[in-house]
Structures are given as structure tokens and as C-alpha cells.
Amino acid sequence: MPDTAMNYWVVKGSASGNDWEAMLRQGKLGTWWTSKLGDRLQRRDRLFFWQSSPLCRIVALGEIVNPHVSYVGGKHRYRVRYLTGWLDRKPTITELRSFPALRDASFLKQGAASCIFPITVLQGSLLFYLAQSPNQNLTGIWSDLEAAFRNTTQTEPNDLDYAASEGNARLVEHLRRERNRTLVLRKKNQTLRKHGRLSCECCGFNFQNFYGEPGRDFCEVHHTKPLADAVERTTPLDDLAVVCSNCHRIIHRKKPMITVGQLSTLVKKESKKTGQTRFYA
């Protein structure tokens, strides 16, 4: 089991200033440095190595074996062990930014200038999943996280990236299923071309009208036919619906789930009964 005080970090190195091919050998030791945060490093902290601009991607996993090698000229040096070689499938900055759990991660922000970035346990768990899932040979690296993914049986609305239970990070079921983000973007584009806006098909809520610029082009896309019903299938755009976060949760609250049409009828009925409206189209 991991140390309860264990930290997760993203270690950045330039694409041209490092010989990545030579460095990244499973089990090999290496030395990195930082001018900040050196006092926070601990033995066995978990690391994600990041190849910086122009590629911007995670390329390997590792751990700290000696957090305090030396401190010279304002630079704190520490020793690491590479737990993997060069990943075959490398999660990119575009892919990572699409996950709400990572939107506030400092290593993904524009203009961030540092060599090492702290991330939360939940963010580290998600990064590990995104690295391991397409690289099936990554086994036995961090067994506690691998076990958490295998044992996750919770099914939640598709808008979530993770859930936390009693302090232990757990990814929800939908993250273990491949989701075609291109399909989601096409559904949004189709709806924008047809209606000129992304309004919830159940209640009419429009994020941009309510929140202004932060809500521009935002909505959730619901699979009207649950992915759990099939191991692999082709999903037409007609099997997707544009919904708001609240309606999305209500749809998934019961099994079998409420249909978009049923919830839309219910919302209209309740609105007439109370004399209140939930329509922001």
C-alpha cells in the first residue's frame, strides 16, 4: 500500500533539451532539479514525466528515490527512477484538458513556467488511468490504483470524471469504457447548425444565456442507449441528446433510466403546476 503522505507530481522537460530515448529505460535512475518546491519532495512520490512544447504530452511514469541529493546555486536536485520506458500511447495536452478534473491543474495552464508541478491524488489517479488504459503492458506499476480501477462498479452520470469514497480515489465506470469525443463534438456541431444554440432537450436550459461567456458552447451529451448495453457498437448522432447537468443526473437516477422525452414532459407538467419556468432557451 502507498504511503498516505505520498505526493503526485508532473515533471516537465523540454522536447529538444533532453535525450528522452536514452533516459527513459524502465528501472533506470536519473537526476532532475527544481528551483522551487524542493522541500516538499518525498521518497516514493509518484511522477508523470512530461515532454514540453511543441509536443506537450505524458511520456513516462516514475518515482522519487532520493528527494534531497544536493542544493547548489539555487537548484534543488533529486533522484528519480523511471518505472516505465517510453509510452507507446502518450496522453496529449488536448486530451487532458477535456477532463473537468484536470481543468485547474497548474501544469496544463498556459504560460506555466516550472520544472515540477504538484497535482492532487485524484488528478494523479486520473492521469494514471489515461496513461495505463491505452498502454495495456503497464501492469504492476502502482498496484493500488490498478486495483481501484478493476474494483470500480459505481455507475454515475457521464459528466463525471471521478468520484471519491472515504478518501480513496475511484474512477467511475464510464471512464473504463472508451468514449468517442469526436462523436460528442459532432453532436454539438449538428445541434448548433440546426438550432443555433445548445439548449437542454429536457428543460431548455442554455448555459451561455445563463452564465454568459463561460457557458459558450457548453452542454452535456447524453447517450440515450446506455453504453453498458453493448461491449462495442456504432453510435449514430440520433442516439445522442443535448442536456444540462441537472437533467442528466435525473435521467440516470433511476434504473431503467428516464427517457429524454419522459423528463421533458415531466418538466413541462411541473412548470404549469407551479407557475414557474425552467426554460432559458
Side-chain angles (χ1 to χ4, degrees):
M1 294 299 294
D3 186 337
T4 55
M6 179 185 301
N7 300 311
Y8 288 78
W9 305 87
V10 172
V11 178
K12 286 191 174 184
S14 67
S16 58
N18 293 282
D19 189 349
W20 292 96
E21 294 288 353
M23 284 194 309
L24 300 182
R25 296 286 186 270
Q26 187 172 14
K28 185 177 179 179
L29 297 178
T31 301
W32 289 74
W33 64 270
T34 177
S35 57
K36 303 176 181 179
L37 305 176
D39 58 336
R40 292 175 53 184
L41 303 180
Q42 299 182 69
R43 180 178 173 274
R44 297 181 63 228
D45 278 359
R46 292 173 172 178
L47 309 174
F48 297 89
F49 292 96
W50 179 271
Q51 190 179 38
S52 297
S53 181
L55 299 174
C56 298
R57 56 188 184 174
I58 292 174
V59 294
L61 279 60
E63 65 179 0
I64 292 179
V65 294
N66 185 346
H68 308 294
V69 173
S70 63
Y71 184 79
V72 179
K75 293 184 177 181
H76 184 108
R77 298 185 181 276
Y78 58 98
R79 180 79 71 176
V80 308
R81 177 182 290 111
Y82 301 108
L83 297 179
T84 71
W86 189 265
L87 296 180
D88 293 330
R89 167 70 168 79
K90 306 167 186 64
T92 66
I93 190 170
T94 300
E95 179 182 358
L96 299 184
R97 280 178 172 167
S98 68
F99 287 89
L102 295 171
R103 285 175 185 164
D104 294 329
S106 58
F107 76 97
L108 289 179
K109 293 182 178 179
Q110 291 184 347
S114 184
C115 297
I116 188 167
F117 296 80
I119 56 176
T120 67
V121 173
L122 289 173
Q123 290 171 339
S125 300
L126 178 56
L127 286 183
F128 178 69
Y129 170 82
L130 295 174
Q132 188 199 43
S133 183
N135 294 283
Q136 298 299 324
N137 59 326
L138 295 186
T139 58
I141 305 298
W142 295 326
S143 57
D144 59 307
L145 295 185
E146 292 176 29
F149 300 144
R150 288 195 302 268
N151 295 336
T152 296
T153 57
Q154 179 177 345
T155 54
E156 287 287 328
N158 300 326
D159 58 303
L160 297 180
D161 284 339
Y162 60 80
S165 175
E166 299 299 326
N168 295 319
R170 298 197 303 162
L171 298 185
V172 297
E173 177 69 18
H174 85 274
L175 266 184
R176 297 192 318 200
R177 294 183 176 275
E178 182 177 2
R179 308 193 68 84
N180 192 324
R181 293 187 174 276
T182 301
L183 190 65
V184 171
L185 290 175
R186 287 182 177 177
K187 179 63 179 180
K188 288 184 176 182
N189 289 334
Q190 179 196 60
T191 303
L192 284 170
R193 288 196 304 270
K194 186 176 181 179
H195 302 290
R197 61 186 184 274
L198 296 174
S199 297
C200 177
E201 295 181 30
C202 298
C203 73
F205 184 85
N206 182 285
F207 283 91
Q208 183 173 356
N209 287 355
F210 192 84
Y211 293 106
E213 186 60 28
R216 178 186 293 275
D217 296 337
F218 182 79
C219 69
E220 293 186 10
V221 175
H222 166 63
H223 286 71
T224 58
K225 296 180 180 178
L227 292 181
D229 290 348
V231 175
E232 183 177 355
R233 70 160 188 244
T234 299
T235 302
L237 294 184
D238 288 344
D239 284 353
L240 302 174
V242 168
V243 294
C244 71
S245 307
N246 285 346
C247 288
H248 205 176
R249 284 183 173 271
I250 294 298
I251 286 173
H252 282 273
R253 194 177 181 196
K254 294 183 179 295
K255 293 184 180 180
M257 65 184 182
I258 303 172
T259 68
V260 171
Q262 289 171 336
L263 186 56
S264 177
T265 299
L266 180 62
V267 169
K268 291 176 182 178
K269 179 180 178 181
E270 292 298 316
S271 295
K272 289 181 179 179
K273 183 187 301 183
T274 62
Q276 298 177 348
T277 179
R278 273 285 286 110
F279 295 87
Y280 300 89

